[in-house]
Amino acid sequence: MKAAILAIGSELVHGEKLDTNSQWMASRLADLGIDTRTFAEVGDDLSEIVDLLRYLGERHSLVIVGGGLGPTQDDLTREALAAIADVPLIEDPASLDAIRALFARRNRDMPERNRIQAQLPAGTEAIPNALGTAPGVWMTALDATSFVALPGVPYEMKAMWDAEVVPRIRQRGWVRSVIVRQIVNLFGLGESEVEGQAMDLTVRGRVPEVGITASDATIAFRITGTGPTEADAHAQIAPTLAIIRERFGPYIVGEAEGIDVQHALLAELERRGLSLALAESCTGGLIAERITSIPGASRSFLGGVVSYSNAVKTSALGVPPDLLATRGAVSPEVAQAMAAGVRDRLGADVGLSVTGIAGPGGGTPEKPVGLVYLGLATASGVVHRELRLGSEQPRSVIQSRAAKHAMNWARQTIQIRDQD
Amino acid sequence: MKAAILAIGSELVHGEKLDTNSQWMASRLADLGIDTRTFAEVGDDLSEIVDLLRYLGERHSLVIVGGGLGPTQDDLTREALAAIADVPLIEDPASLDAIRALFARRNRDMPERNRIQAQLPAGTEAIPNALGTAPGVWMTALDATSFVALPGVPYEMKAMWDAEVVPRIRQRGWVRSVIVRQIVNLFGLGESEVEGQAMDLTVRGRVPEVGITASDATIAFRITGTGPTEADAHAQIAPTLAIIRERFGPYIVGEAEGIDVQHALLAELERRGLSLALAESCTGGLIAERITSIPGASRSFLGGVVSYSNAVKTSALGVPPDLLATRGAVSPEVAQAMAAGVRDRLGADVGLSVTGIAGPGGGTPEKPVGLVYLGLATASGVVHRELRLGSEQPRSVIQSRAAKHAMNWARQTIQIRDQD
């Protein structure tokens, strides 16, 4: 089974936007044991789209098409598919109802131009889209090639992939061997340190295969197992997973894609029945945002103060003005006062604070860009930690690293204190 | 002049690595007025590479090939080019000397396997690589199509692009016109509404070309102008830009990539000399995070309170407990009390609040997931606004939309009030 993925949009081939959907779909196809051989991207030009669709359709048995299903004149995927199958476009009543219902739920009438999104090539199957107005299309043409068109909006595409595309692929019996990937995310060690301690696992040809990648200072092991069933693939992975857990335990923050320090901190707080309050200065709400992106965060997270100005550090957190004047806003003393202040004022078990210089301006030789102080207040007292994240780093990197180190340090410190 | 870009490497089509080189090259070609029509990516399979190279070569006059020039058995670009031109591979003495010299500079002998990198299709031109062992190839074949092969290592490719590829493109007289793209970002209108009001601008064949794309509810116009010089291209854009500004003025949030509602709000506050404080519940710090991601935000942004629990709404913002009990945390009254409370406690000119149900849990028939109230407190009083963002939407979308609507509403309301 050979697959190809075609992404449609002039913004892609003009270099204005990066196509990340195709990569995501190829890795999901790989999980099902389906081999993607070719990616292509083409602009909003009907004859070029048709030409490329035909080329890919003649050489692959599954062609996934991303984008071009919107309501505008630039959206040409429906027309291109109809041209490939040599059939007219006809209105699909069920899709039209779904589009109308979506607008109704938002208390709006469907604009007339969205009606075009219910036009599908005759004889094809609509793929329902619960999150947007563009239904997908499943079409068989060109000597039994399956063409599967999905919207370009990533969260709509991903939801449709899981709910609609994968079941249809399984139903057709295309999944012969199963690939399972197990991720283990670590934080607090450098990529080369991790690599040095895992040389035996990453050697070429070892089964299961183990890869290491780094993203925003989180290091991920990816263990890839294969087998006739999912259980077999998991069994192949299990011993390697045990070795990694044994060797890197204290640094492990999660064992699935996207599970990171915020999840680990929240889990640790919940396990111990502790509530958290935040006092953020240079991270500007980033820690709160990451924690509250997790459903159910309210079980442990009370809230926080973004104390961007010194006046707010005093009025909302009770940091003494003379401490700010004598030690400066970026100092161990102010970090501690912020943590203690937010713990006290918000009535939390744990107060966590961050104050630092995110840049690009504001650095001095004594207090360079990248200097950050963390504070942690609990029932057993107040502690601080200094970070030096590098004056050459961009603002966004310093903010993100400071947030991650703060959450990871809080998690580890809570663990240790509880064991005392 | 139509161009295509082909990236070679199985790690790309297996979804393990994202192809960012092609985007970079397409945007550099656009700067030279050369229109990239198609991207393709293919794995390390000789017949598939040759097939795709021929497809692209027959339809474009310039085909850039990235990757596959290394010394391993997987590196097939040299062979594929030779097959397209139907010529043998022969050793290029100058390239071999350059590879040897590179190793010599690192005090090493050239490993025998690197010798293969000096093998080029007969009759083609080597493109020197100052930073690595893989020379590029400039080949003319298939009725005057130029094939330009460059290594996949980004910093080698980019250095060769500037030093070697651009001068050859200019020398051949291919740079006839310059392309300039102007972006105009809008927020607060749906994509189909914008499209409906811009039909005259987006018609096919109009000069300059106007495209519309949507990303996280921000709608972007992209106007593409061409001319013999940059000034001419800008002049071609100007009347269309004026029409868009005239027609969509109140909705315009920025005129460059990535400039969105947070930049527009911050600019509006600075223009009027107003300070801002935030009270965030369901957005959990997201607004503060987006505002503080902008360097210099501290000129207008004092800080905020993330009042995730009801207790914090009372202790940190002064929301009366009986208001929370009788109206509920997600209500117009509480939104107003939060805005007024944060304005007062943090001493800001403007207090902006958000309270709502981000889901996936917590919704009721009366107060469904996606129901959000915004509050805005200024010297002229306190107002609120209701949003219904759709109970079917994922948590991250509801949080992001609520944040964007809040910032946009605050910006517009401040503008109107000032005009009163």
Side-chain angles (χ1 to χ4, degrees):
Chain A
M1 180 108 210
K2 289 184 186 181
I5 301 173
L6 174 63
I8 295 176
S10 292
E11 68 281 12
L12 301 174
V13 290
H14 289 163
E16 289 156 11
K17 199 175 152 190
L18 194 59
D19 171 30
T20 54
N21 282 353
S22 298
Q23 185 199 18
W24 187 90
M25 294 192 277
S27 99
R28 291 305 175 101
L29 286 173
D31 293 346
L32 300 170
I34 295 174
D35 193 16
T36 304
R37 311 291 297 185
T38 312
F39 284 5
E41 287 98 39
V42 66
D44 303 315
D45 179 294
L46 187 61
S47 75
E48 289 179 358
I49 296 170
V50 170
D51 208 17
L52 204 43
L53 268 179
R54 185 166 286 123
Y55 175 89
L56 297 173
E58 283 167 353
R59 287 162 180 81
H60 305 83
S61 40
L62 175 62
V63 178
I64 313 277
V65 184
L69 292 174
T72 77
Q73 293 174 350
D74 286 347
D75 292 300
L76 300 166
T77 298
R78 289 175 295 264
E79 271 179 77
L81 290 174
I84 289 288
D86 200 15
V87 296
L89 285 170
I90 55 172
E91 190 169 273
D92 177 45
S95 295
L96 186 60
D97 287 348
I99 296 169
R100 282 219 175 91
L102 191 102
F103 279 101
R105 284 201 298 279
R106 295 177 191 167
N107 296 316
R108 289 177 54 195
D109 286 335
M110 182 189 82
E112 196 47 35
R113 68 172 12 268
N114 286 87
R115 188 170 191 132
I116 201 176
Q117 297 187 286
Q119 296 261 342
L120 306 184
T124 62
E125 187 187 351
I127 305 175
N129 178 353
L131 303 178
T133 56
V137 181
W138 192 297
M139 177 180 100
T140 307
L142 297 184
D143 194 24
T145 294
S146 295
F147 292 85
V148 179
L150 298 171
V153 180
Y155 74 89
E156 294 179 19
M157 179 277 287
K158 290 176 184 175
M160 292 167 78
W161 186 271
D162 292 336
E164 306 287 346
V165 176
V166 173
R168 283 173 176 79
I169 286 176
R170 290 191 185 281
Q171 209 173 36
R172 281 163 173 79
W174 294 346
V175 180
R176 295 265 162 75
S177 76
V178 178
I179 299 183
V180 167
R181 290 207 171 73
Q182 173 68 52
I183 289 171
V184 182
N185 287 325
L186 316 182
F187 187 83
L189 286 173
E191 189 177 6
S192 56
E193 284 171 277
V194 174
E195 226 157 344
Q197 294 172 44
M199 300 283 277
D200 55 328
L201 304 177
T202 54
V203 283
R204 212 162 261 279
R206 186 176 181 279
V207 176
E209 194 190 313
V210 176
I212 298 177
T213 55
S215 173
D216 195 20
T218 295
I219 313 292
F221 280 105
R222 288 169 194 276
I223 319 170
T224 307
T226 58
T229 70
E230 223 168 280
D232 293 312
H234 277 293
Q236 195 186 67
I237 281 173
T240 301
L241 179 58
I243 294 171
I244 292 172
R245 284 179 180 158
E246 165 72 25
R247 220 176 270 180
F248 297 97
Y251 299 98
I252 295 174
V253 291
E255 297 193 349
E257 192 78 55
I259 304 300
D260 213 320
V261 290
Q262 58 271 28
H263 299 83
L265 171 58
L266 211 51
E268 196 65 43
L269 291 165
E270 252 193 85
R271 199 173 301 130
R272 296 172 196 272
L274 298 172
S275 63
L276 174 70
L278 297 170
E280 298 187 67
S281 184
C282 68
T283 50
L286 182 58
I287 301 179
E289 186 270 311
R290 291 205 180 156
I291 287 176
T292 59
S293 73
I294 304 169
S298 60
R299 286 195 294 273
S300 307
F301 180 60
L302 301 183
V305 171
V306 178
S307 55
Y308 216 58
S309 69
N310 280 352
V312 172
K313 289 184 183 73
T314 299
S315 64
L317 297 171
V319 178
D322 62 322
L323 200 62
L324 287 162
T326 57
R327 316 304 314 217
V330 179
S331 62
E333 294 82 0
V334 168
Q336 294 202 5
M338 287 169 63
V342 83
R343 176 175 183 269
D344 179 48
R345 300 234 175 160
L346 269 57
D349 298 312
V350 178
L352 175 63
S353 72
V354 188
T355 179
I357 300 156
T364 65
E366 274 154 49
K367 295 190 177 180
V369 167
L371 176 66
V372 174
Y373 290 97
L374 310 177
L376 188 75
T378 65
S380 25
V382 191
V383 290
H384 77 272
R385 188 178 167 192
E386 181 184 293
L387 303 174
R388 288 181 183 266
L389 299 170
S391 56
E392 75 291 355
Q393 296 290 339
R395 179 176 179 87
S396 60
V397 170
I398 291 174
Q399 289 178 321
S400 179
R401 295 290 154 81
K404 292 177 88 161
H405 278 289
M407 290 188 272
N408 196 53
W409 175 63
R411 175 178 73 88
Q412 291 172 331
T413 310
I414 291 164
Q415 276 179 340
I416 292 163
R417 289 194 166 191
D418 208 67
Q419 286 159 8
D420 287 349
Chain B
M1 180 110 210
K2 290 184 186 181
I5 301 173
L6 174 64
I8 295 176
S10 291
E11 70 281 11
L12 301 174
V13 290
H14 290 164
E16 290 155 12
K17 198 177 152 190
L18 193 61
D19 172 29
T20 54
N21 281 355
S22 298
Q23 186 199 18
W24 188 90
M25 293 192 277
S27 95
R28 290 307 174 100
L29 285 173
D31 294 344
L32 300 170
I34 295 173
D35 193 15
T36 304
R37 310 293 296 185
T38 313
F39 284 5
E41 288 98 42
V42 66
D44 303 315
D45 179 295
L46 187 61
S47 75
E48 289 179 359
I49 296 170
V50 170
D51 210 17
L52 205 42
L53 269 179
R54 186 166 285 123
Y55 175 89
L56 297 173
E58 283 167 354
R59 286 162 181 81
H60 304 82
S61 39
L62 173 63
V63 178
I64 313 277
V65 185
L69 292 174
T72 79
Q73 292 176 343
D74 287 347
D75 291 300
L76 300 166
T77 298
R78 290 174 294 264
E79 270 178 77
L81 290 174
I84 290 288
D86 199 15
V87 297
L89 285 169
I90 55 171
E91 191 170 272
D92 176 47
S95 295
L96 187 60
D97 287 348
I99 297 169
R100 282 218 175 93
L102 191 101
F103 279 102
R105 284 200 300 279
R106 295 175 190 167
N107 296 316
R108 287 177 55 195
D109 286 336
M110 182 189 82
E112 196 49 32
R113 69 173 11 274
N114 286 88
R115 188 170 190 131
I116 200 175
Q117 297 187 285
Q119 296 260 340
L120 306 185
T124 62
E125 187 187 353
I127 305 174
N129 178 351
L131 303 177
T133 57
V137 181
W138 192 296
M139 177 179 99
T140 307
L142 297 184
D143 195 25
T145 294
S146 295
F147 292 86
V148 179
L150 298 171
V153 180
Y155 72 89
E156 294 179 19
M157 179 277 286
K158 290 175 184 175
M160 290 166 78
W161 185 272
D162 292 336
E164 306 287 345
V165 176
V166 173
R168 282 174 177 76
I169 286 176
R170 289 192 185 280
Q171 207 172 40
R172 281 161 173 79
W174 293 345
V175 183
R176 296 262 166 76
S177 65
V178 177
I179 297 188
V180 167
R181 289 205 170 76
Q182 173 68 50
I183 289 171
V184 182
N185 287 325
L186 316 182
F187 187 82
L189 287 173
E191 187 178 6
S192 55
E193 286 171 277
V194 174
E195 168 84 9
Q197 293 173 43
M199 300 284 278
D200 55 327
L201 304 177
T202 56
V203 283
R204 221 153 262 281
R206 186 178 180 280
V207 175
E209 193 191 315
V210 177
I212 298 177
T213 55
S215 174
D216 195 19
T218 295
I219 313 292
F221 280 105
R222 287 165 194 278
I223 319 169
T224 307
T226 57
T229 69
E230 219 168 283
D232 293 311
H234 277 293
Q236 193 187 68
I237 281 173
T240 301
L241 179 58
I243 293 171
I244 292 173
R245 284 179 181 159
E246 166 72 24
R247 218 176 270 179
F248 298 97
Y251 299 97
I252 295 174
V253 291
E255 298 193 347
E257 193 78 53
I259 302 301
D260 213 319
V261 290
Q262 58 271 28
H263 300 83
L265 172 58
L266 212 51
E268 195 65 43
L269 291 166
E270 250 192 88
R271 198 172 301 129
R272 295 172 196 272
L274 298 172
S275 63
L276 173 72
L278 298 170
E280 297 187 68
S281 184
C282 67
T283 49
L286 181 58
I287 301 179
E289 186 269 310
R290 290 204 181 156
I291 287 176
T292 58
S293 73
I294 304 170
S298 59
R299 284 194 295 273
S300 307
F301 180 61
L302 300 184
V305 171
V306 179
S307 56
Y308 216 57
S309 71
N310 280 352
V312 171
K313 289 185 183 72
T314 299
S315 65
L317 298 171
V319 178
D322 61 324
L323 199 63
L324 287 162
T326 57
R327 314 306 314 217
V330 179
S331 63
E333 295 82 0
V334 168
Q336 293 201 5
M338 287 169 63
V342 82
R343 176 175 183 267
D344 180 47
R345 299 233 176 162
L346 269 58
D349 299 310
V350 178
L352 175 64
S353 72
V354 188
T355 178
I357 300 159
T364 66
E366 274 155 51
K367 295 189 177 180
V369 167
L371 177 65
V372 174
Y373 290 98
L374 310 178
L376 188 75
T378 65
S380 27
V382 191
V383 289
H384 78 270
R385 187 178 168 192
E386 181 185 293
L387 303 174
R388 288 181 185 266
L389 300 170
S391 57
E392 76 290 355
Q393 296 292 340
R395 180 177 178 85
S396 60
V397 170
I398 292 175
Q399 291 178 320
S400 178
R401 294 291 154 82
K404 292 177 88 161
H405 278 289
M407 290 189 272
N408 196 52
W409 176 64
R411 175 179 74 87
Q412 291 173 330
T413 311
I414 291 165
Q415 276 178 342
I416 293 162
R417 291 196 164 191
D418 209 67
Q419 286 158 9
D420 285 349

